Amino acid sequence: MRHWCEVQNLPRQMFGLAGRGIFAVGLALTRAYLINANWRTSIAATTLATIVIDVPFTACAVFDIIRSQYFLLGEEFLVEIPAAVQFLMTTFVVVEAADEENV
């Protein structure tokens, strides 16, 4: 898809760098507000949120409605916070599932 939208390397790298900052904000928000949330619900909600965010951007690029590199790269910002929540929740599950013999 990046080939269809002719995404250049410099904007891709800049958006990636800014996306990592948003990912860090997502980790902080998860720590502050969702640390005691149900992990099953959190993982399901973030998976659905990521799909719902991704579908319009992908559909616009695939069906040649909008093929701007900045439009496609903007999606990366929107999925970073759900990705951060999902990353942290799945990491907590793995840590809790590990027993003393596997450490």
Side-chain angles (χ1 to χ4, degrees):
M1 223 172 23
R2 292 183 185 189
H3 181 23
W4 288 351
C5 296
E6 298 176 0
V7 176
Q8 301 297 318
N9 193 30
L10 181 63
R12 181 177 168 207
Q13 296 300 323
M14 297 303 283
F15 273 75
L17 182 63
R20 290 299 144 204
I22 293 174
F23 188 84
V25 169
L27 291 176
L29 290 173
T30 303
R31 191 187 106 212
Y33 299 108
L34 298 174
I35 200 74
N36 293 321
N38 183 348
W39 65 269
R40 291 178 184 97
T41 306
S42 299
I43 292 172
T46 55
T47 301
L48 289 175
T50 303
I51 292 169
V52 167
I53 292 169
D54 183 54
V55 166
F57 288 92
T58 303
C60 286
V62 168
F63 295 113
D64 199 14
I65 298 169
I66 301 173
R67 284 202 178 165
S68 168
Q69 68 176 341
Y70 299 107
F71 178 75
L72 185 65
L73 291 172
E75 175 210 6
E76 293 183 18
F77 285 134
L78 298 176
V79 298
E80 288 298 330
I81 291 181
V85 173
Q86 190 172 32
F87 169 76
L88 210 52
M89 290 297 178
T90 54
T91 303
F92 287 158
V93 171
V94 169
V95 168
E96 290 297 321
D99 58 355
E100 289 296 321
E101 296 175 5
N102 293 330
V103 177

